[in-house]
Amino acid sequence: MKIDQLKSERIEIQQTVIDLQQKQLQQVQATVEASVKDSVKTEISTWSDIVKKNVKSATQSAASVHKAVRSAVQENVRSNNFIIYGAEEEEPDEYGNQHENVTDIASNLFNEIGAFPKPQV
């Protein structure tokens, strides 16, 4: 009988060890799960902050690119402006003689230099 009693005690002790190991495993799993949740939460907020910063800088970059392009286009348009000196804007005289006016002078000049501007009013 003593052997049976010792076997029973050993089985009980082994069961206690198994129960303690399971509890310890559950505690480790809970700790790991909490740690992973915290890490994921931190990384997501960090990623979110990075995205927000990049969106702001992209918006600013788009605005600065738009401003730079507008400035370059305006400079290009201004570089195409010119003034014709000595051309008089005249209507036909009292005798009906048509004098060459600014439009004709400008058209002839553009034809000679091979430029075809768009008239702006």
Side-chain angles (χ1 to χ4, degrees), residues 14 17 22-23 28-30 36 40 42 44-46 53 56 59 63 82 86 88-89 92 96-97 99 101-102 109 118:
Q14 286 177 339
V17 168
Q22 286 178 343
K23 285 181 182 178
V28 168
Q29 285 175 338
V36 167
V40 168
T42 302
I44 285 177
S45 67
T46 303
K53 288 177 184 176
K56 286 180 183 177
T59 303
F82 63 93
E88 296 179 12
E89 296 183 38
N97 295 329
H99 296 285
N101 63 18
V102 173
L109 178 64
K118 296 178 184 177

Side-chain angles (χ1 to χ4, degrees), residues 29-71:
Q29 285 175 338
T31 302
V32 168
E33 187 176 310
S35 175
V36 167
K37 281 183 180 178
D38 289 342
S39 294
V40 168
K41 186 175 182 179
T42 302
E43 291 302 318
I44 285 177
S45 67
T46 303
W47 178 253
S48 175
D49 293 340
I50 291 170
V51 169
K52 285 177 186 176
K53 288 177 184 176
N54 286 342
V55 167
K56 286 180 183 177
S57 66
T59 303
Q60 292 172 352
S61 295
S64 63
V65 168
H66 181 69
K67 186 177 179 180
V69 168
R70 176 179 280 159
S71 174

Side-chain angles (χ1 to χ4, degrees), residues 74-107:
Q74 287 176 347
E75 287 178 21
N76 187 30
V77 167
R78 283 189 211 125
S79 72
N80 292 331
N81 291 340
F82 63 93
I83 299 173
I84 301 173
Y85 292 99
E88 296 179 12
E89 296 183 38
E90 292 185 7
E91 297 293 323
D93 62 16
E94 56 194 48
Y95 303 110
N97 295 329
Q98 183 74 26
H99 296 285
E100 198 171 33
N101 63 18
V102 173
T103 305
D104 293 334
I105 293 170
S107 294

